Amino acid sequence: MAKSGKSQFAILGMLALLKQSSGYNLKKHIESTTHNFWKETFSSIYPVLESLEQQKLIIKIDEAPENERQRNIYTLTKKGHKILENWLIQPAENIQIRNEFLLKLFFGNLIPVDITIQHLKDYKKKLRTYLSSYQAIKKDLSILDSSEKLYGSFTLDHGIEMVLASLTWCDTTIKKLQAQQNKNL
Amino acid sequence: MAKSGKSQFAILGMLALLKQSSGYNLKKHIESTTHNFWKETFSSIYPVLESLEQQKLIIKIDEAPENERQRNIYTLTKKGHKILENWLIQPAENIQIRNEFLLKLFFGNLIPVDITIQHLKDYKKKLRTYLSSYQAIKKDLSILDSSEKLYGSFTLDHGIEMVLASLTWCDTTIKKLQAQQNKNL
DNA sequence: ATGGGCATGTAAGGAGTTACATGATTCA
DNA sequence: TGAATCATGTAACTCCTTACATGCCCAT
């Protein structure tokens, strides 16, 4: 079955940046660059590549270099570039955000305060992990050329700023809950 | 078909807060309180309510007050409370974040800089809209009782902090792009 | 009497995830 | 020779979204 959502554009865009790539390689690059706001799995990448090829937005490159393992290398066609650019110049649609962590917190008065505090502390740990992984990604950005690096640094900075703001909010929230806890002693 | 995802818990939790509610009323409250991180549609609410009733997690209240329009009022059973609390004390699973806006920005070097700058400005406008809607929700929180208000204010503050950090990031990013633009003149 | 809010659902489809399945190559 | 990485895919499923469909009640 052909997929037709946003994955299409994510893959098209990444392929445009890399000029040419296999599905496997695409996944690797998505993981090392857009991981904090966009992920893809093999199960979506391969069918999407097939669908994009059928739509003539990408083509398979016939490179049969000797001694090399069999793999499918794709590159964008002119039509592919056109479709991609057309999508890029449109403003983004509203995001559907579902945050299970916040949902649980919202229902916090249904469980003991100390469990919620623990959840917040665990969340902080996770956020710190994200922070260091973003710093690792920042290093990986050097793979791409300088103009791409610029935009990559923007999205990465966004992630970093969000994590930092979250960490501050966690601390404030924990303090408020602890104050609540003391009041009830 | 019975639904079995996170919607179940969102509805169970909201029902626990409200003590009792119709599906329609649930939607209203979800909109006015968790809108920034959790939404539900009628198409999920009604089937989920039916499924929850079959699982004996909620029951329909026989209130046939004269002169009142027909509607289904539900409330949690003991089993429902147990299931809900059990979910609440488990740490939240990792969120799958997909941000189309950031994805487009990441591919920004494929389109003219001024379009990207415009996208950022439009995004700022949207963020400011969110900010004022959060302030409106903060007022609506007064519907709930004080302990629930506390947790509602936490999740809301999270939204506000994220928006504020985003706005700052937008300004920084716009400045960087404008500098880039001037360099290329 | 009519428009808006209240109220409840169904049907079909879309998009992505998880689990399953396989095999080649490289390096230690 | 065995583990890790490269490499490609299928099948089933789940969940949610969009569009559709209906009708009451209340206020102006």
Side-chain angles (χ1 to χ4, degrees), chain A residues 18-52:
Chain A
L18 297 173
K19 265 73 177 179
Q20 59 174 67
S21 173
S22 67
Y24 191 85
N25 189 53
L26 274 174
K27 173 108 196 296
K28 251 183 48 186
H29 277 271
I30 288 169
E31 259 164 24
S32 65
T33 54
T34 68
H35 195 250
N36 62 313
F37 58 90
W38 204 273
K39 299 171 211 225
E40 291 293 341
T41 60
F42 286 129
S43 304
S44 62
I45 289 172
Y46 290 113
V48 166
L49 283 173
E50 209 193 320
S51 154
L52 289 173

Side-chain angles (χ1 to χ4, degrees), chain A residues 90-105:
Chain A
Q90 308 295 331
E93 284 164 40
N94 286 335
I95 339 149
Q96 306 291 344
I97 338 114
R98 278 196 152 191
N99 188 325
E100 191 189 354
F101 172 75
L102 290 178
L103 185 64
K104 288 191 181 192
L105 179 63

Side-chain angles (χ1 to χ4, degrees), chain A residues 7 13 37 39-40 87-90 93-95 97-100 104-105 119 126 151 154 169, chain B residues 7 37 40 87-90 93-95 97-100 104-105 107 119 126 151 154 169:
Chain A
S7 298
F37 58 90
K39 299 171 211 225
E40 291 293 341
W87 173 73
L88 283 174
I89 61 173
Q90 308 295 331
E93 284 164 40
N94 286 335
I95 339 149
I97 338 114
R98 278 196 152 191
N99 188 325
E100 191 189 354
K104 288 191 181 192
L105 179 63
H119 281 172
K126 208 179 278 182
Y151 290 93
F154 292 159
W169 168 85
Chain B
S7 296
F37 58 89
E40 291 293 341
W87 173 74
L88 283 174
I89 61 172
Q90 308 295 329
E93 284 164 40
N94 286 335
I95 338 149
I97 338 111
R98 278 196 151 190
N99 189 324
E100 192 188 356
K104 289 193 179 190
L105 180 63
F107 298 135
H119 281 173
K126 207 180 276 183
Y151 290 93
F154 292 158
W169 168 86

